[in-house]
Amino acid sequence: MKPALLLASFLLFCNATMAQAGEPTSPDAGTSSSEAQRTNLFRTILRDEAHMWTNPFRHGSYSSHTFSKYVLPFTLITGGLIASDHRTSNLLPNTSDQARWSLRVSQVGAPYTIAGIAAAYLLVGKLGGHPKAEETGILGLEAVAHSQLITLGLKYITRRERPFDFHAKGGGGTAFWKGGDSFPSGHASGSFALATVLAYEYGRDHHWIPYVTYGLATLVAASRFSGEKHWLSDLFVGSTTGFLIGRYVYKHHHDPGVETGIRARLKKVTPEFNLGLRGFSAQWNLGRHA
């Protein structure tokens, strides 16, 4: 149980404090345009990445509200899952067919797949003149990049063996520091990072979108569990990390002007009615010459 407690304590420094970053902290946060975001994307990623890693070591990150709402529950759940990983990993039959089909499903959440989805939003938004889609692509790419960088860093630190390899060797303990790369799940982290950006961008106007995006992200995480690629705690920490990263990126870089521009264009789409000698006619004014 000692490794579980040690790792849970470490993770509250590396992940849970990002949850308190709900409001922009930099002077220009939340006001940058899509053009500026795209031009400075690489610099923004580096700056935010440094902030995410150093934020846990800042005294102001640990208010009583943050600790009770995020850090404590996250630590307790993570420690409990790590302690029970051996039992939960044996809940499924773990047959070769199960693993094969699960890994096929999990490709939906592969880094190149979700990065491609975000890039598609960026391309469609840029070529079609849809600033909201363009911003979604930019923020999605940033969130995916952060999710992979942070999970890779944690994988290198924890060196946890994957369930299939661990069981094949008949190992004991919690599988940490055995030379593997299981903890946390990069598929889960990336999927939830992009899902969170999509949910925040479009969930207000389309209430079904968060259910679909988080549902698909959960399916990806579950497939990694049934494919014996990850322990349950890997998936919880990966999913939580992805959600917090997606939330952080949106809260700090969403441009409110995107929403204002869409509503302004929609107001121009008004119906016009005409009544003359030849009868009644109706048409839509698209505001092209307004």
Side-chain angles (χ1 to χ4, degrees), residues 28-97:
D28 60 340
T31 60
S32 57
S33 65
S34 296
E35 182 69 26
Q37 290 176 24
R38 184 174 63 254
T39 303
N40 302 316
L41 180 59
F42 183 70
R43 186 172 62 184
T44 299
I45 290 176
L46 291 179
R47 182 185 62 196
D48 285 349
E49 188 72 14
H51 181 80
M52 289 179 187
W53 282 105
T54 58
N55 190 52
F57 302 100
R58 298 172 184 172
H59 182 268
S61 297
Y62 295 95
S63 64
S64 58
H65 170 75
T66 300
F67 187 84
S68 61
K69 187 175 181 179
Y70 299 108
V71 177
L72 184 59
F74 178 82
T75 304
L76 293 177
I77 293 173
T78 300
L81 289 176
I82 292 174
S84 60
D85 271 335
H86 285 281
R87 289 190 290 273
T88 55
S89 66
N90 294 318
L91 293 177
L92 300 177
N94 295 329
T95 62
S96 58
D97 287 340

Side-chain angles (χ1 to χ4, degrees), residues 114 117-118 121 132-133 135-137 139-140 143 190-206 208-214 216 246-247 250:
I114 55 179
I117 294 173
Y121 270 93
K132 190 177 184 69
E135 181 188 81
T136 300
L139 300 188
S191 297
F192 271 90
L194 181 58
T196 302
V197 171
L198 290 171
Y200 272 104
E201 286 281 5
Y202 295 100
R204 183 185 305 174
D205 299 321
H206 307 283
W208 56 270
I209 287 183
Y211 294 100
V212 173
T213 58
Y214 288 131
L216 288 174
R247 181 176 181 270
Y250 178 85

Side-chain angles (χ1 to χ4, degrees), residues 78-247:
T78 300
L81 289 176
I82 292 174
S84 60
D85 271 335
H86 285 281
R87 289 190 290 273
T88 55
S89 66
N90 294 318
L91 293 177
L92 300 177
N94 295 329
T95 62
S96 58
D97 287 340
Q98 170 193 305
R100 182 170 61 254
W101 282 102
S102 296
L103 295 180
R104 289 176 181 175
V105 173
S106 72
Q107 291 308 305
V108 176
Y112 53 81
T113 304
I114 55 179
I117 294 173
Y121 270 93
L122 175 58
L123 183 63
V124 170
K126 182 62 177 176
L127 296 180
H130 302 294
K132 190 177 184 69
E134 184 179 357
E135 181 188 81
T136 300
I138 295 172
L139 300 188
L141 286 172
E142 184 179 351
V144 171
H146 285 309
S147 71
Q148 299 310 300
L149 289 172
I150 289 179
T151 53
L152 283 174
L154 293 176
K155 285 175 183 288
Y156 180 79
I157 293 171
T158 56
R159 309 291 290 173
R160 192 182 198 187
E161 279 191 325
R162 296 182 183 272
F164 180 82
D165 297 327
F166 185 76
H167 291 148
K169 296 178 181 179
T174 56
F176 287 103
W177 302 291
K178 300 287 186 179
D181 60 350
S182 180
F183 188 90
S185 169
H187 281 64
S189 177
S191 297
F192 271 90
L194 181 58
T196 302
V197 171
L198 290 171
Y200 272 104
E201 286 281 5
Y202 295 100
R204 183 185 305 174
D205 299 321
H206 307 283
H207 298 297
W208 56 270
I209 287 183
Y211 294 100
V212 173
T213 58
Y214 288 131
L216 288 174
T218 301
L219 179 63
V220 169
S223 69
R224 300 299 285 175
F225 176 71
S226 59
E228 295 187 87
K229 287 295 184 180
H230 287 287
W231 309 89
L232 199 57
S233 59
D234 299 347
L235 302 173
F236 171 73
V237 173
S239 300
T240 303
T241 300
F243 169 78
L244 294 177
I245 289 173
R247 181 176 181 270

